[in-house]
Amino acid sequence: MTTLNDYFQSHLNTASTDNHSQKSAVIDVINTITTVGKEITELLRKGALADIHGEAGAENVQGEQQKKLDVIANDLLLNALTTNKHCAGVASEELDDATAANEAGELLVLFDPLDGSSNIDINMPTGTIFSILPYNNKGQTVQNSDFLQKGTEQLAAGYLLYGSSAMLAFTFSDALDSDNDGVVMFSLNPTSGEFELVKKNIAIDEDTKEYAINASNYRHWLPPMQQYIDELLAGTTGSRGKNFNTRWVAAMVGDVHRILCRGGIFIYPKDTKDPSKAGKLRLMYEANPMSLLIERAGGASTDAVNRIMDYEPTDIHQRVAVVLGAKNEVLQVQQLHKQ
Ligand code: AHG
Ligand code: MN
Ligand code: MN
């Protein structure tokens, strides 16, 4: 049995002298996030008894109604990370602007404190997503613009899944992954309160028969996306010559977790409901961290045409269309969009 602490110790032993201090800072930040993850897990286990259900009675900067647990999880992460000496600043789905932390810190942390908010009150899976970036203006107070770095700059990214068990999945960037472990998964042992390693070097099959999309938006999609789903629905009677199955968790963490466990494709496409929005999901704290996980596991992650991690961000809350998972399916979607 390898605990998260053992795992990190081994990684610190193998880290190169060039990036040892950066890696140790990243590890310290992930430890802070997982400590909060355990607190959120506890609250979810108590459920209605912990007064975490229902609306908070406020809206976030994106005009979405906040749930009580969105606010609680955000406050827990904000308090914990702003007191971590390596953290120069944080940005969150639930905060209009970046919050400065420690000027001497060398890292920036972005998070979606509670992903899948519509699942909270019905006891269904939710999660927390995080992305860790380098801070390039050390010694100065953090501003929103400091966070606007491409996904390829991420030093580490991952999520906590609050499902029937609590799990942690993350990956270091290729440069920091001195043990070549790729994407790793830990399960929270409820008896010891420790995360224990269950899988490493997770690999996503290039092909799949499982897809995730909210088909209630079908009439708002662009024609190539409608055509792609039409072809999947036609199954053995259509051009694809095989049957596909649908799964939709309504929490991106849950859908990405399923893809890391047994493959598949996840899509939240651009639609015409609100032409000012490029998609529903947010680039900086949903799409980029999930893209790093998916790519490091051998999958692909695009906006239907271009690679997500190559986006030059313009806003910490910017939205993006997301098509990620099994390489050959993502390619299929890209080909239809290019035609
Ligand atoms: P959040 O709860 O952080 O706002 O994110 C919800 C996102 C994502 O997790 C999920 O895949 C999607 O919204 C669900 O959308 P639908 O409501 O269209 O099912
Ligand atoms: Mn989310
Ligand atoms: Mn959220």
Side-chain angles (χ1 to χ4, degrees), residues 60 64 70 93-94 111-117 127 129 282 285-286:
N60 66 17
E64 296 163 341
D70 287 324
E93 180 190 349
E94 308 302 342
F111 53 85
D112 174 354
L114 209 289
D115 176 62
S117 303
I129 310 172
R282 279 62 49 113
Y285 41 81
E286 290 177 321

Side-chain angles (χ1 to χ4, degrees), residues 26-200:
V26 168
I27 286 174
D28 196 51
V29 162
I30 298 177
N31 270 326
T32 296
I33 295 168
T34 55
T35 303
V36 174
K38 289 181 200 175
E39 293 176 55
I40 298 173
T41 302
E42 275 306 303
L43 290 171
L44 283 161
R45 294 288 169 262
K46 291 182 188 144
L49 308 178
D51 193 23
I52 56 162
H53 289 175
E55 309 293 326
E59 264 186 12
N60 66 17
V61 65
Q62 309 170 59
E64 296 163 341
Q65 283 298 321
Q66 290 175 306
K67 296 277 183 184
K68 280 184 193 165
L69 194 58
D70 287 324
V71 176
I72 296 169
N74 183 65
D75 289 349
L76 288 171
L77 280 164
L78 183 66
N79 290 338
L81 285 166
T82 49
T83 49
N84 181 306
K85 67 175 191 284
H86 300 293
C87 180
V90 303
S92 161
E93 180 190 349
E94 308 302 342
L95 297 167
D96 300 9
D97 292 300
T99 303
N102 302 298
E103 281 186 13
E106 62 271 59
L107 301 175
L108 300 174
V109 186
L110 294 112
F111 53 85
D112 174 354
L114 209 289
D115 176 62
S117 303
S118 73
N119 281 354
I120 301 168
D121 294 355
I122 54 167
N123 207 4
M124 290 291 135
T126 56
T128 294
I129 310 172
F130 61 90
S131 163
I132 303 176
L133 287 166
Y135 181 46
N136 300 320
N137 289 318
K138 210 171 156 178
Q140 293 173 38
T141 306
V142 160
Q143 302 185 350
N144 285 2
S145 55
D146 293 311
F147 290 80
L148 304 180
Q149 303 179 43
K150 293 204 288 189
T152 49
E153 301 298 311
Q154 292 173 103
L155 300 170
Y159 61 76
L160 284 133
L161 167 66
Y162 313 114
S164 44
S165 62
M167 295 196 77
L168 164 72
F170 68 89
T171 185
F172 292 116
S173 65
D174 189 36
L176 285 190
D177 187 10
S178 46
D179 288 0
N180 288 317
D181 286 339
V183 178
V184 289
M185 254 179 216
F186 292 79
S187 203
L188 180 61
N189 180 331
T191 311
S192 64
E194 299 262 17
F195 280 101
E196 295 175 17
L197 183 66
V198 287
K199 271 187 221 170
K200 58 183 183 178

Side-chain angles (χ1 to χ4, degrees), residues 189-235:
N189 180 331
T191 311
S192 64
E194 299 262 17
F195 280 101
E196 295 175 17
L197 183 66
V198 287
K199 271 187 221 170
K200 58 183 183 178
N201 291 118
I202 287 166
I204 302 169
D205 281 353
E206 291 184 345
D207 296 299
T208 184
K209 289 182 167 185
E210 208 159 57
Y211 70 98
I213 195 165
N214 182 347
S216 68
N217 295 316
Y218 181 93
R219 70 184 188 284
H220 304 294
W221 298 339
L222 305 177
M225 189 52 68
Q226 290 176 333
Q227 188 186 335
Y228 175 68
I229 296 299
D230 288 344
E231 288 175 7
L232 302 192
L233 291 173

Side-chain angles (χ1 to χ4, degrees), residues 2-15:
T2 307
T3 66
L4 186 60
N5 286 335
D6 299 338
Y7 180 81
F8 282 149
Q9 200 48 58
S10 142
H11 261 268
L12 285 172
N13 293 340
T14 53

